[in-house]
Amino acid sequence: MDSKKLPFKTYTVMSNNLIQTLGCADVYRTYTLLLIANTEFLKTNTTLEQLAGYVGETLQNYKKNKGTLSFNDKLRATGEVSINDIYLNRKDRHYTMYQFAQVSFGNYRRISREFYDNYNTLDLKLRGFILKLFSAAEPHSYVVKLSIRDLKKLIHMGHDTINKYIMKLKEMDLLDEVGDCKILKVKGLIIDSPKDRYVEKTMAMFDHIIEFNENNNKSLSRECVIYKKYKEKNFEGVKNMHAFMKSLEAGTVGRTRYAQKDTTEIILT
């Protein structure tokens, strides 16, 4: 299939729990599914056959085998994905709706479409291992400082397998080792700047206030109304999210002040 026709977003967010709990192959499969999921609600009705095609493997790998859960059952077991079969008028025709839980502050990684485009020919498990390493990196960096002993506990992998994949990444010049540190050199792994942490905290605050007021039939402040309006449009036209949130918090934001086209700094969590 022509990659230009794939229904992928520019980037997606993936919780560290999903990355660290699932096996390497399932981590990459889930990342691909999230690239397709709706940005605001993290929902998609992509079929497993379609997903297998995007990942580059056969449908059989998603089915239950002797001693192995199906892909859907493994997703359900994480507690972060709701999966429902929705039947149409005919019993032999239905589709599956995936609903991912929203990621929590400080417990996710952003991964762009660029990762898919550049590495979709790598061994499937190696692709997933890269994401696992990224989930273990220090905040705002590509540097993993954990020892192999601590790393294997965090990402649920064996010592020998971790060392084998690290050697492969070094041979491919996708990872450097400096002392005890491992430094990822992979395209498409997005790190947040320290300013982004302020944005995330402020957004979480507004989300909480809006949810509380709406659940209790209370009116929203002018700032909450503006925030909600922009969020519903994925902050379209906002050039600088940090400055935008600062102005909202201070109560000085205008309704048309940020109508610019550059959205490269937008955070959608």
Side-chain angles (χ1 to χ4, degrees):
M1 180 180 291
D2 185 350
S3 62
K4 293 181 180 179
K5 296 181 180 179
L6 297 180
F8 289 174
K9 305 190 294 281
T10 303
Y11 76 88
T12 191
V13 294
M14 190 170 180
S15 80
N16 284 339
N17 181 54
L18 275 177
I19 299 173
Q20 293 162 3
T21 302
L22 293 170
C24 288
D26 289 322
V27 167
Y28 186 82
R29 291 164 181 150
T30 305
Y31 152 72
T32 306
L33 189 60
L34 275 164
L35 271 181
I36 304 166
N38 173 279
T39 299
E40 184 176 0
F41 301 108
L42 296 180
K43 296 174 68 173
T44 179
N45 61 355
T46 302
T47 68
L48 289 178
E49 186 174 10
Q50 289 172 323
L51 179 59
Y54 297 150
V55 173
E57 56 181 348
T58 65
L59 180 60
Q60 186 60 38
N61 294 330
Y62 295 77
K63 297 180 179 179
K64 180 178 180 180
N65 295 310
K66 186 176 181 180
T68 304
L69 294 174
S70 68
F71 174 68
N72 283 354
D73 285 340
K74 284 183 280 189
L75 282 184
R76 287 189 183 97
T78 67
E80 296 205 21
V81 190
S82 172
I83 305 173
N84 297 298
D85 288 326
I86 301 176
Y87 291 88
L88 303 179
N89 293 332
R90 289 176 51 177
K91 292 183 178 180
D92 61 337
R93 291 189 180 182
H94 74 280
Y95 63 89
T96 303
M97 179 63 72
Y98 297 86
Q99 169 75 71
F100 288 84
Q102 292 292 331
V103 296
S104 59
F105 171 71
N107 191 37
Y108 71 91
R109 290 294 182 267
R110 286 197 294 155
I111 310 152
S112 80
R113 161 74 186 270
E114 187 179 17
F115 180 73
Y116 175 92
D117 290 336
N118 281 275
Y119 306 110
N120 59 28
T121 59
L122 289 186
D123 176 82
L124 176 58
K125 291 184 178 180
L126 189 59
R127 284 177 265 172
F129 177 72
I130 290 172
L131 298 182
K132 280 182 169 283
L133 268 188
F134 185 41
S135 77
E138 294 294 298
H140 318 301
S141 80
Y142 300 112
V143 180
V144 179
K145 295 183 178 180
L146 296 177
S147 66
I148 296 297
R149 175 180 294 181
D150 291 335
L151 188 59
K152 72 177 187 179
K153 291 179 181 178
L154 180 67
I155 64 176
H156 303 283
M157 292 181 65
H159 185 283
D160 292 342
T161 304
I162 291 174
N163 278 331
K164 179 180 70 173
Y165 287 157
I166 285 175
M167 288 301 299
K168 285 185 178 181
L169 293 178
K170 288 174 65 177
E171 291 170 1
M172 300 172 67
D173 197 30
L174 295 177
L175 181 143
D176 283 337
E177 282 191 295
V178 179
D180 295 330
C181 295
K182 300 156 190 67
I183 306 170
L184 284 163
K185 302 163 59 180
V186 177
K187 297 178 180 178
L189 307 181
I190 305 172
I191 58 174
D192 296 327
S193 70
K195 281 186 176 182
D196 292 336
R197 299 188 67 182
Y198 163 78
V199 172
E200 293 172 8
K201 291 176 69 174
T202 309
M203 290 179 69
M205 176 192 72
F206 274 108
D207 288 336
H208 175 73
I209 293 172
I210 291 171
E211 182 180 9
F212 177 83
N213 285 357
E214 290 183 338
N215 288 342
N216 290 278
N217 296 317
K218 294 185 177 181
S219 60
L220 299 178
S221 68
R222 175 177 175 273
E223 288 70 35
C224 284
V225 171
I226 294 173
Y227 170 82
K228 184 178 180 181
K229 175 183 176 183
Y230 273 92
K231 186 176 181 181
E232 287 172 349
K233 296 182 178 180
N234 292 329
F235 299 97
E236 181 181 358
V238 178
K239 182 177 181 180
N240 187 322
M241 278 294 290
H242 185 82
F244 178 73
M245 298 308 297
K246 278 283 189 182
S247 296
L248 262 183
E249 191 175 25
T252 60
V253 69
R255 295 182 183 275
T256 60
R257 182 179 173 183
Y258 294 89
Q260 301 182 40
K261 294 183 179 180
D262 186 352
T263 60
T264 56
E265 297 184 35
I266 289 176
I267 299 174
L268 299 179
T269 59

